[in-house]
Amino acid sequence: MSIGTVLAQLRDDFPDITISKIRFLESEGLVTPERAPSGYRRFSEADCERLRFVLTAQRDRYLPLKVIKEQLDAIDNGNGGFGSGGTVALSTARGTVAPATDFGARAGRVSRETLIERTGVDSAFVTELQRNGLLTPGPAGFFDEDAVRLVEAAAALASYGLETRHLRAFKVSADREAGLVAQIANPIAKGKGTGARDRAEELVREIAALSVTLHTQLVKAAVRDVLD
């Protein structure tokens, strides 16, 4: 298949996919299409399946490319618990990608009523989250899958006695971290050359994953000190 054909096959599931993105993933060694004598890329069905695996892991699990590549290498070598490489193995592996940080998918249109139904909270709880700046609907008034995860986590914390006003500290910390990431990523996104934005987005994923890991370890260490 040509790169245009691959793009058409992936676009239904990944509307934001671009030729630049596919070329970037190739440059990072995630997929290695053959080259025709004329120099044009020629993708196989297995190549297309690898791209689906990568894009799904990024979208649904927010995994950095380094982790995804390690999983693909393990699959190719028969050491990933999924069997040997190939279309069938990758399809099977899609639902079992182990998240380094599970940010969830950003896509989707979730109404306020659906959000309440899916999370089991009441309307007042959602209102409190919004009032404290923890939850914000999109321009059309809908939420996304990330919002569902956020409300579930906030509700779980509330069951331990943490009120929504207590959670503002998490929002302040997240905003500060986002500001630091933006300082690093924005110059790259505005750089010249194809794939600049893709490189910036991947950098954001990498830093976000490391940030969550660092935060988790710091909280664990602090709690351990309290318990000791």
Short mmCIF file of all heavy atoms in Angstrom, two decimals, residues 2 25 44 58 60 86 101 117 136 162 172 176 185 191 195 201 219:
data_model
loop_
_atom_site.label_atom_id
_atom_site.label_comp_id
_atom_site.label_asym_id
_atom_site.label_seq_id
_atom_site.Cartn_x
_atom_site.Cartn_y
_atom_site.Cartn_z
N SER A 2 0.36 2.29 -0.61
CA SER A 2 1.05 3.58 -0.54
C SER A 2 0.75 4.23 0.80
O SER A 2 -0.17 3.82 1.52
CB SER A 2 0.55 4.49 -1.67
OG SER A 2 -0.81 4.85 -1.44
N LEU A 25 6.75 8.41 12.77
CA LEU A 25 6.81 7.10 13.41
C LEU A 25 7.80 6.19 12.69
O LEU A 25 8.49 5.40 13.33
CB LEU A 25 5.42 6.47 13.43
CG LEU A 25 4.38 7.18 14.31
CD1 LEU A 25 3.01 6.51 14.17
CD2 LEU A 25 4.81 7.19 15.77
N SER A 44 2.92 -2.87 4.06
CA SER A 44 2.18 -4.13 4.06
C SER A 44 1.03 -4.03 5.07
O SER A 44 0.93 -3.06 5.84
CB SER A 44 3.12 -5.28 4.46
OG SER A 44 3.54 -5.10 5.82
N GLN A 58 -0.83 5.11 22.12
CA GLN A 58 -0.70 6.53 22.41
C GLN A 58 -2.02 7.15 22.83
O GLN A 58 -2.10 7.90 23.79
CB GLN A 58 -0.15 7.28 21.20
CG GLN A 58 1.31 7.02 20.91
CD GLN A 58 1.84 7.93 19.82
OE1 GLN A 58 1.21 8.12 18.79
NE2 GLN A 58 3.00 8.51 20.05
N ASP A 60 -5.06 5.61 23.79
CA ASP A 60 -5.81 5.03 24.90
C ASP A 60 -5.00 4.89 26.17
O ASP A 60 -5.56 4.85 27.27
CB ASP A 60 -6.36 3.66 24.51
CG ASP A 60 -7.38 3.74 23.38
OD1 ASP A 60 -7.80 4.86 23.05
OD2 ASP A 60 -7.75 2.69 22.83
N GLY A 86 3.38 -10.03 13.98
CA GLY A 86 2.44 -10.25 12.89
C GLY A 86 1.10 -9.62 13.20
O GLY A 86 0.83 -9.19 14.31
N THR A 101 1.46 5.21 32.09
CA THR A 101 0.55 6.20 32.68
C THR A 101 -0.72 6.15 31.86
O THR A 101 -0.68 6.34 30.65
CB THR A 101 1.14 7.61 32.60
OG1 THR A 101 1.47 7.90 31.25
CG2 THR A 101 2.38 7.74 33.45
N GLU A 117 -24.23 9.34 35.00
CA GLU A 117 -24.66 7.94 34.96
C GLU A 117 -23.48 6.98 34.99
O GLU A 117 -23.50 5.97 35.71
CB GLU A 117 -25.50 7.72 33.71
CG GLU A 117 -26.01 6.29 33.55
CD GLU A 117 -26.80 6.10 32.28
OE1 GLU A 117 -27.09 7.10 31.59
OE2 GLU A 117 -27.13 4.93 31.96
N THR A 136 -13.83 20.81 33.45
CA THR A 136 -14.28 21.84 32.50
C THR A 136 -14.80 21.19 31.23
O THR A 136 -14.08 20.41 30.59
CB THR A 136 -13.13 22.79 32.14
OG1 THR A 136 -12.57 23.35 33.34
CG2 THR A 136 -13.62 23.93 31.25
N LEU A 162 -11.82 13.20 51.37
CA LEU A 162 -11.24 14.37 50.72
C LEU A 162 -12.33 15.12 49.95
O LEU A 162 -12.89 14.60 48.99
CB LEU A 162 -10.12 13.97 49.75
CG LEU A 162 -8.80 13.53 50.40
CD1 LEU A 162 -7.85 13.01 49.33
CD2 LEU A 162 -8.17 14.67 51.15
N VAL A 172 -3.57 22.84 40.99
CA VAL A 172 -2.50 23.84 40.99
C VAL A 172 -1.18 23.18 40.57
O VAL A 172 -0.43 23.72 39.76
CB VAL A 172 -2.36 24.49 42.38
CG1 VAL A 172 -1.11 25.36 42.44
CG2 VAL A 172 -3.60 25.32 42.70
N ARG A 176 1.07 23.87 37.08
CA ARG A 176 2.50 24.23 37.11
C ARG A 176 3.31 23.29 36.24
O ARG A 176 4.20 23.72 35.49
CB ARG A 176 3.00 24.18 38.55
CG ARG A 176 2.50 25.33 39.43
CD ARG A 176 2.94 25.15 40.86
NE ARG A 176 2.50 26.26 41.69
CZ ARG A 176 2.55 26.26 43.02
NH1 ARG A 176 3.03 25.20 43.66
NH2 ARG A 176 2.14 27.31 43.71
N ALA A 185 8.15 22.26 25.07
CA ALA A 185 7.55 21.74 23.85
C ALA A 185 7.21 22.81 22.82
O ALA A 185 7.30 22.57 21.61
CB ALA A 185 6.29 20.94 24.19
N GLY A 191 8.97 24.95 15.44
CA GLY A 191 10.18 24.83 14.64
C GLY A 191 9.89 24.55 13.19
O GLY A 191 8.78 24.21 12.80
N GLY A 195 7.06 17.42 10.61
CA GLY A 195 7.08 16.59 11.81
C GLY A 195 7.42 17.34 13.07
O GLY A 195 7.55 16.72 14.13
N GLU A 201 4.57 16.79 20.28
CA GLU A 201 3.54 15.99 20.95
C GLU A 201 4.15 14.77 21.63
O GLU A 201 3.77 14.41 22.74
CB GLU A 201 2.48 15.57 19.95
CG GLU A 201 1.59 16.71 19.48
CD GLU A 201 0.55 16.25 18.47
OE1 GLU A 201 0.61 15.07 18.06
OE2 GLU A 201 -0.31 17.07 18.09
N VAL A 219 5.08 10.78 46.30
CA VAL A 219 3.97 10.58 47.24
C VAL A 219 4.19 9.32 48.06
O VAL A 219 3.99 9.31 49.29
CB VAL A 219 2.63 10.51 46.48
CG1 VAL A 219 1.50 10.08 47.43
CG2 VAL A 219 2.29 11.86 45.86
#
